[in-house]
Amino acid sequence: MDVTIALTGFLAILAAWAAIGYTERAHERSRFTTTLPGAREQFTDA
Amino acid sequence: MGRISAGDTAWVLTSAALVMLMTPALGFFYAGLVHRKNVLSTLMHSFLALCAIAVQWVLWGYTLAFGPDWHHVIGTFAWLGFTHVGLHPNPAYAPTVPHLAFALFQMMFAAITPALITGAFAERKRFAAVLLFTVLWSTVVYDPIAHWVWGHGGWLANLGALDFAGGTVVHISSGVAALICAWMLGPRLRSGPHEPHDRTMMLLGTALCWFGWFGFNAGSALAANGVAALAFINTSVAPAMGALAWMTLGWSRTGMPSAVGAAAGCVAGLVAITPAAGYVTPAASIVIGAIAAIGCYAAVQLRARMHIDDALDVFPVHGIGGTIGALLTGVFALHVAVAHQTLVQCAAVAVVWAYTAAMTYAVLKFVMLIMPLRVTPDQEHLGLDLTQHAEAAYQWT
């Protein structure tokens, strides 16, 4: 029983990684602009 | 059923902790070598490999690698979720330590192997792709190879292949996989020399890896005995000689003794002595360390001329270093027929190279069906720390 639950949980996480990666393909996110203002200026020429 | 030895058990558990330290240490080694904008992402590749494989190993990795044999190629699912992996020893693997302790020790090997590959695709691979690749690769590449070489009934073990602590299982597999990954991902967009952002971090990571490697090699004796002591001393002198040889070679060619070169030579020596650690004399390990450093140094120069951007030279150091170590194990191992053993070692190396290359290609193709392997060019310019994690390693003002 515990093995089944653990297995299901880990497979769900794997599926979530796949779903996140699949979604990213369609909608490339750019969180850096809100999280760390000025980042683009610092690294674009790096 | 074997009788548990307190000394052996304490040593194996301590060794497991030492090997565990190697994976984050590897992260620091790699992170020191990348650009400042990719430091956190590089560390995360190693740290999350440790986390993902710890769970994978308990759920299905261990049973595939070490479970009851199925036609000499793979373990069955009999030990899924560590079922039947308990407090008593398994005489087939370690007759004096609890089976759980052996499984834990092996877990750390399974975790560091895909982490080694991350150096090849540093600074450009999408994080979700890294995670998915790590679990899939470990399942279809690492686990079967571990069974062939170390599993009870594995066909390379039956053939007589010697691999004391993972020259073929860990280093050739990760090195060859790194080459395939670097080839399929393509080079980084940023041209010119890729200068390490922090050589002190790189050297600290190297030192911690070396420290953990004592558990990796000496712990593979699976007992606190003379073989462990032999592996320990060999793990001290081979990397030392590797560092000296690489640094001197570079010094003679460039005019400067490079810190990065010394660290790379140290790792080359560690990699090469891994399959031989418990089988050869300390003097032989000095020779192995020197040959590995020279061979890996040449491989790095050759790799630099190819259009394959193995960012942190995983293939030249682990793929070539592991191959040199596996072959020299046949030459220097005590109490073996050298010609026959070297032939067996050649066969094992060839099989692991071919299988790893083919299956790594297949795994990457599968991941590509779901998501791109690379980040976008814009994300690559901005760095993976910000675009993949929305965090920065350093506070910029």
Side-chain angles (χ1 to χ4, degrees):
Chain A
M1 182 64 175
D2 52 350
V3 173
T4 308
I5 295 169
L7 200 55
T8 307
F10 189 55
L11 290 174
I13 286 175
L14 286 179
W17 292 343
I20 289 166
Y22 185 80
T23 310
E24 277 180 349
R25 176 160 62 178
H27 308 288
E28 290 297 345
R29 288 176 289 183
S30 52
R31 288 168 292 184
F32 57 87
T33 49
T34 54
T35 310
L36 291 165
R40 179 177 290 275
E41 289 71 21
Q42 288 197 45
F43 286 124
T44 302
D45 298 325
Chain B
M1 191 170 293
R3 180 183 174 86
I4 289 178
S5 157
D8 292 352
T9 304
W11 174 233
V12 170
L13 289 174
T14 304
S15 294
L18 287 169
V19 182
M20 177 269 162
L21 180 67
M22 289 174 70
T23 303
L26 176 77
F28 281 105
F29 174 67
Y30 282 169
L33 291 168
V34 298
H35 193 279
R36 59 180 180 164
K37 63 188 177 183
N38 296 315
V39 177
L40 264 187
S41 69
T42 304
L43 285 166
M44 284 284 278
H45 290 169
S46 290
F47 192 73
L48 267 294
L50 179 61
C51 298
I53 299 305
V55 178
Q56 182 264 9
W57 191 246
V58 170
L59 289 176
W60 66 76
Y62 182 68
T63 192
L64 290 177
F66 291 95
D69 180 65
W70 184 79
H71 297 291
H72 312 298
V73 291
I74 195 79
T76 68
F77 284 116
W79 296 349
L80 202 71
F82 269 24
T83 309
H84 307 304
V85 179
L87 308 181
H88 299 292
N90 182 327
Y93 295 123
T96 58
V97 304
H99 194 180
L100 276 169
F102 173 77
L104 169 76
F105 181 63
Q106 291 298 336
M107 173 198 287
M108 302 310 170
F109 285 67
I112 196 170
T113 308
L116 289 167
I117 306 169
T118 63
F121 48 65
E123 305 193 288
R124 61 201 189 282
K125 192 166 180 180
R126 190 176 295 265
F127 188 62
V130 172
L131 293 175
L132 213 52
F133 170 80
T134 296
V135 175
L136 292 172
W137 186 88
S138 192
T139 302
V140 303
V141 180
Y142 180 85
D143 295 342
I145 293 175
H147 186 79
W148 300 349
V149 179
W150 289 335
H152 185 58
W155 73 275
L156 285 177
N158 290 344
L159 197 64
L162 294 178
D163 188 357
F164 190 75
T168 47
V169 177
V170 174
H171 295 292
I172 293 179
S173 69
S174 59
V176 172
L179 183 68
I180 301 299
C181 284
W183 170 59
M184 288 188 68
L185 254 79
R188 286 166 287 182
L189 297 178
R190 187 162 48 94
S191 58
H194 296 277
E195 281 293 307
H197 96 284
D198 187 349
R199 288 171 175 83
T200 60
M201 182 186 285
M202 178 275 303
L203 267 178
L204 182 63
T206 307
L208 286 174
C209 273
W210 192 352
F211 179 69
W213 225 296
F214 291 124
F216 201 91
N217 287 355
S220 290
L222 298 170
N225 58 16
V227 177
L230 176 65
F232 209 117
I233 184 73
N234 287 343
T235 308
S236 303
V237 289
M241 188 61 184
L244 297 175
W246 190 305
M247 183 195 72
T248 307
L249 204 55
W251 199 349
S252 66
R253 285 171 56 91
T254 66
M256 288 291 172
S258 158
V260 175
C266 178
V267 175
L270 285 164
V271 168
I273 200 59
T274 295
Y279 301 130
V280 302
T281 64
S285 74
I286 292 174
V287 177
I288 290 172
I291 294 174
I294 295 166
C296 294
Y297 183 92
V300 167
Q301 309 309 313
L302 191 65
R303 203 279 306 156
R305 294 180 188 179
M306 298 164 65
H307 297 292
I308 297 178
D309 187 12
D310 177 359
L312 307 181
D313 284 323
V314 183
F315 172 72
V317 175
H318 294 274
I320 299 301
T323 300
I324 290 171
L327 298 179
L328 292 181
T329 300
V331 175
F332 289 111
L334 300 167
H335 317 303
V336 299
V338 172
H340 170 74
Q341 190 61 49
T342 305
L343 272 178
V344 171
Q345 298 298 105
C346 285
V349 166
V351 165
V352 171
W353 267 69
Y355 180 79
T356 301
M359 293 308 291
T360 302
Y361 179 82
V363 169
L364 287 170
K365 279 288 183 188
F366 178 78
V367 174
M368 287 166 71
L369 292 175
I370 303 169
M371 67 188 84
L373 297 176
R374 285 185 76 127
V375 296
T376 64
D378 193 38
Q379 289 172 328
E380 190 174 332
H381 282 302
L382 286 162
L384 272 58
D385 290 359
L386 295 176
T387 60
Q388 297 295 292
H389 306 287
E391 294 171 303
Y394 307 106
Q395 194 67 44
W396 305 107
T397 55

